[in-house]
Amino acid sequence: MSASPIILRMIEVSRAAAPCLLKESCLGRLIRVQRDRTTVRPARHVWEYARLMIVRASAPAATVRHDVEGIRIVPATGWTVTVAGPAEVITDPAAAAHHRRALSGRTHGRHDTLLLLHPKTVTGLRPTRAEA
C-alpha cells in the first residue's frame, strides 16, 4: 500500500500576523527594479516600529520588495511574507548605529547600505492540508 499524497493549499496570513512571522527570521531577499532591470539579493532585516529595516550592499531603488520565508521540511508547515513599499537610505549616524546594533550577528562593511522600508503592502501565505 502506498501512502496518499498530501494535498496542500495556501491560506492568506492576516496583515497583523505577517510582521510576527517576519520576526522569526532575519534573512530574506531584496527585490528591486531599476532601469528596467530586476535584481534579487540576499538581505538581513529587522522589523521595528511597523517598519522594516534592511541592510544591503547596493543602492536602493525608490520602491523595493522584500521576501522572507520560513519553510520547513515537515509538509504543511512554514510561511512566506512579502513586504513592499518605498525605501529610504538611513543617513543619520545615530539611527544607523541603532539599526546596526539591532542587526545582531552581522558584520557591517563599508559598502553596506541601511534601508528603511515603509510598508505599503504586507502579504503572507501559509500552507495547510486541504480537506479530502
Side-chain angles (χ1 to χ4, degrees):
M1 273 169 82
S2 65
S4 299
I6 297 172
I7 300 171
L8 300 177
R9 67 182 181 94
M10 299 299 277
I11 59 169
E12 195 166 338
V13 174
S14 72
R15 185 177 169 102
C20 295
L21 294 173
L22 284 172
K23 292 177 184 179
E24 290 183 18
S25 178
C26 64
L27 186 62
R29 289 178 305 281
L30 184 68
I31 299 149
R32 66 185 181 126
V33 177
Q34 198 166 23
R35 292 186 217 118
D36 298 327
R37 193 170 179 187
T38 301
T39 58
V40 179
R41 300 284 187 265
R44 291 198 171 272
H45 68 268
V46 171
W47 180 265
E48 195 174 64
Y49 308 117
R51 296 175 299 188
L52 191 67
M53 198 285 300
I54 301 170
V55 63
R56 183 59 238 142
S58 62
T63 300
V64 298
R65 191 176 92 207
H66 189 64
D67 293 339
V68 181
E69 296 170 341
I71 304 299
R72 300 192 176 73
I73 295 172
V74 178
T77 62
W79 50 269
T80 180
V81 173
T82 299
V83 181
E88 64 178 292
V89 176
I90 299 171
T91 56
D92 177 52
H98 164 76
H99 291 303
R100 282 193 173 91
R101 284 190 302 275
L103 283 162
S104 61
R106 167 90 167 62
T107 303
H108 301 281
R110 62 188 179 111
H111 297 292
D112 284 347
T113 303
L114 293 171
L115 306 177
L116 194 57
L117 194 155
H118 301 277
K120 294 297 179 201
T121 60
V122 179
T123 57
L125 296 172
R126 180 186 298 274
T128 186
R129 293 175 191 260
E131 297 297 322

